[in-house]
Amino acid sequence: EVQLVESGGGLVQAGGSLRLSCAASGFTFDDYAIGWFRQAPGKEREGVSCISSSDGNTYYADSVKGRFTVSSDKGKNTVYLEIHSLKPEDTAVYYCAVPCEATPDFGSWGQGTQVTVSS
C-alpha cells in the first residue's frame, strides 16, 4: 500500500520558518516525483512544489518561489519542504502526493499537516 505521512506543521509567527516532512512507503521512492500541495480555507488545492528524486529537478509555484525549498533524502524515503519568511497567506493544510500531477481522484495523498501563520 502506498503511504505518505506529512509532519512538521504548527503555529508560527509571520517571518518564521518551518520544515515539513513527507515520509513515503509502499512504492519505489526513486521511480516517482513527489509533489507538495496546500489548501487554504475556502480555496482550491494548489500545487506549490515538486521534486524528482531520481534527478533532483524541482518546481515551485510563483506564489512560493524564493521562500520554499524542496529536497529529498533517498535513504529515508523522505521529502522535505523548508518554508522561510512565512506569511499569513501561507496558512493552509499542506499535503504531499504522488505523482506531482495528482488530483483528488488520481494519485496517492497523505493526510496533511496544518500550517498556521499568525501576524
Side-chain angles (χ1 to χ4, degrees):
E1 296 284 344
V2 174
Q3 186 174 15
L4 301 168
V5 180
E6 303 95 334
S7 62
L11 175 64
V12 64
Q13 291 186 339
S17 300
L18 284 173
R19 188 194 195 199
L20 309 183
S21 298
C22 172
S25 62
F27 65 98
T28 303
F29 184 75
D30 200 44
D31 286 349
Y32 298 92
I34 297 179
W36 282 98
F37 300 76
R38 67 183 181 185
Q39 188 165 20
K43 302 291 185 180
E44 293 288 327
R45 189 170 298 183
E46 66 170 333
V48 298
S49 187
C50 175
I51 185 167
S52 170
S53 296
S54 60
D55 59 18
N57 286 345
T58 59
Y59 166 84
Y60 300 96
D62 289 341
S63 59
V64 305
K65 194 172 297 182
R67 299 187 298 115
F68 288 26
T69 301
V70 66
S71 61
S72 66
D73 185 333
K74 293 181 179 181
K76 295 182 178 180
N77 284 359
T78 300
V79 169
Y80 303 96
L81 186 68
E82 295 180 350
I83 311 174
H84 299 279
S85 301
L86 278 159
K87 305 175 181 180
E89 53 263 43
D90 294 321
T91 295
V93 178
Y94 284 72
Y95 302 88
C96 58
V98 176
C100 290
E101 299 81 11
T103 70
D105 297 319
F106 170 70
S108 299
W109 293 83
Q111 84 290 346
T113 185
Q114 176 72 48
V115 172
T116 303
V117 184
S118 62
S119 60

